[in-house]
Amino acid sequence: MPVTTFVSMILAVIAASGVTVWALVEFGLLKVLPALIAVALAARWGLSHVPGDDEPA
């Protein structure tokens, strides 16, 4: 993995955590929690394993 990609990933995680903390302070837990759950479920779905197609044509 190139260094620039790694650094970009680290900066993205830091920025996302900062936005999350800001949203929690600004809007409160009960308004932010459903959005966090939705993002987590979308990430879980997006990163899920896709089985290969081993059947003959």
Side-chain angles (χ1 to χ4, degrees):
M1 176 184 306
V3 173
T4 53
T5 303
F6 182 71
V7 171
S8 297
M9 287 173 40
I10 297 297
L11 291 176
V13 167
I14 291 170
S17 64
V19 170
T20 301
V21 170
W22 169 80
L24 286 172
V25 170
E26 189 71 24
F27 301 112
L29 180 67
L30 291 178
K31 289 186 179 178
V32 176
L33 191 60
L36 289 175
I37 292 172
V39 168
L41 289 174
R44 182 178 178 208
W45 173 76
L47 295 173
S48 65
H49 177 69
V50 178
D53 186 15
D54 292 337
E55 298 177 9

